[in-house]
Amino acid sequence: MSGLLALLDDVAGIAKIAAASVDDISAHAAKAGSKAAGVVIDDAAVTPKYVHGFEAARELPIIWRIARGSVFNKLVILLPAALLMAAFAPWLVPPLLVMGGSYLCFEGAEKILHVLMPHDDHSGGPDGSHDIGDPAHLEEQRVKGAIKTDFILSAEIMTLALSTIESGEVWIQAVVLALVGLGITALVYGAVAVIVKMDDVGLWLTRVGRLGVTRALGRGIVKGMPWVMKLLSTVGTVAMLWVGGSIIVHSLAQMGWHLPEETIHHAAEAVAHLVGPELEGAALWTTTATIDGVLGLIWGVVLVPVVTKLVMPLFAGKKAAH
């Protein structure tokens, strides 16, 4: 009996440790997921464009193919790479975050410039093509283009998640990264599936609805979806600039240059003192996010000509040579 009690006590101790580990993993996953919010919003806003122009029956299969590619990117390629980097080259994380933040700033600034200057050379479809051609071939190109774009965004998400994990245990890092990767993929592509099918839902309600209210709701959904897409695109652009600027400022501080982060913090505190204690927290966050977003926009505008006039032609020339 004493041996059984001792065994039960050990089991209870193991259960407590396991529960604590689950709580720890959940906390890390929640923190890491919230840090990647800007990337997630942009991904959800951009991805529906990849199914634009296809018949309704192909929309969900295309999204499913992109989602599978996203899971492969995160779990098979990026997760092991992130763990190896954390174990053998943790100093690489801040520079990679700066690069990822710069990519977000570039994308956000390019979208704004495209709106202001619509006759941009880079206008066209999400995959860079203007020609519909063979639907099967176009679908293959769209899926490949979407998975490539997802790889960049997924790399940013996984690096961000890794930077927020405070535990040194490799298995906790692996589980947290896997949970964040799977959770964000399900969230993004589940939302995309709902978005691209809302038009069909609206049309269905207008056809089969027995009540005038139901049919009116269907017509409202159909008319409102273009505005929803515009709102998503705007929110995604703002989020990219804000998150990109924030990542760069924080990563520069980790690399030893604290001046930008400290200056922004002092400015936010000054604004918070002006509005009073009731709104102090909101003022701190709003001021910091606004300054981060403005810095992200400025840096993105600087990067646009560099990337479009130098980097892209360089890679295009190498690809043509091969």
Side-chain angles (χ1 to χ4, degrees):
M1 180 61 71
S2 62
L4 178 61
L5 291 175
L7 177 61
L8 291 175
D9 185 60
D10 290 341
V11 171
I14 293 171
K16 288 180 181 179
I17 294 172
S21 297
V22 170
D23 289 340
D24 195 28
I25 289 170
S26 301
H28 284 307
K31 184 178 179 182
S34 64
K35 190 75 173 177
V39 190
V40 171
I41 294 171
D42 179 64
D43 209 359
V46 170
T47 306
K49 295 181 182 180
Y50 287 99
V51 298
H52 179 70
F54 291 100
E55 59 184 50
R58 292 305 307 157
E59 290 175 344
L60 291 182
I62 290 172
I63 293 170
W64 172 241
R65 289 181 64 189
I66 298 171
R68 281 188 304 172
S70 178
V71 171
F72 183 86
N73 285 341
K74 292 181 178 74
L75 299 189
V76 179
I77 301 175
L78 295 171
L79 192 152
L83 293 178
L84 288 172
M85 183 173 61
F88 300 105
W91 53 270
L92 270 177
V93 174
L96 287 176
L97 285 174
V98 169
M99 292 174 62
S102 297
Y103 169 77
L104 292 177
C105 294
F106 162 75
E107 284 285 311
E110 190 182 40
K111 287 184 178 182
I112 292 175
L113 292 176
H114 182 72
V115 172
L116 297 177
M117 297 179 289
H119 299 292
D120 181 25
D121 291 336
H122 299 280
S123 60
D127 60 348
S129 63
H130 303 257
D131 185 14
I132 296 297
D134 177 36
H137 179 65
L138 178 62
E139 178 178 327
E140 197 66 29
Q141 281 191 324
R142 288 274 182 93
V143 170
K144 287 181 179 178
I147 292 174
K148 287 179 183 177
T149 301
D150 176 89
F151 183 86
I152 298 172
L153 295 173
S154 294
E156 181 68 8
I157 288 168
M158 299 298 270
T159 309
L160 274 172
L162 181 65
S163 69
T164 63
I165 302 174
E166 297 171 358
S167 174
E169 296 285 343
V170 175
W171 73 271
I172 290 182
Q173 293 175 349
V175 173
V176 169
L177 289 175
L179 287 176
V180 170
L182 290 173
I184 285 179
T185 302
L187 175 65
V188 168
Y189 292 101
V192 168
V194 171
I195 289 169
V196 300
K197 282 300 178 184
M198 284 303 292
D199 282 340
D200 295 340
V201 172
L203 290 172
W204 179 77
L205 288 175
T206 59
R207 287 199 305 266
V208 305
R210 296 182 178 179
L211 300 176
V213 175
T214 306
R215 293 192 294 273
L217 175 61
R219 290 192 296 271
I221 291 173
V222 174
K223 292 179 180 178
M225 281 311 296
W227 294 99
V228 171
M229 293 302 298
K230 288 181 181 179
L231 177 62
L232 273 175
S233 179
T234 302
V235 171
T237 301
V238 172
M240 276 197 297
L241 295 171
W242 155 51
V243 174
S246 174
I247 291 170
I248 291 172
V249 169
H250 183 65
S251 300
L252 289 175
Q254 289 183 317
M255 296 167 67
W257 191 27
H258 299 276
L259 180 62
E261 188 174 54
E262 290 176 353
T263 303
I264 294 172
H265 180 69
H266 293 322
E269 284 186 331
V271 174
H273 287 318
L274 292 175
V275 300
E278 296 84 3
L279 299 174
E280 185 174 348
L284 278 171
W285 185 89
T286 304
T287 305
T288 302
T290 301
I291 297 175
D292 287 339
V294 171
L295 290 176
L297 176 59
I298 294 171
W299 180 234
V301 170
V302 171
L303 287 175
V304 167
V306 175
V307 174
T308 56
K309 303 299 183 183
L310 295 178
V311 178
M312 286 182 175
L314 179 64
F315 279 98
K318 287 185 177 180
K319 186 175 181 181
H322 287 294

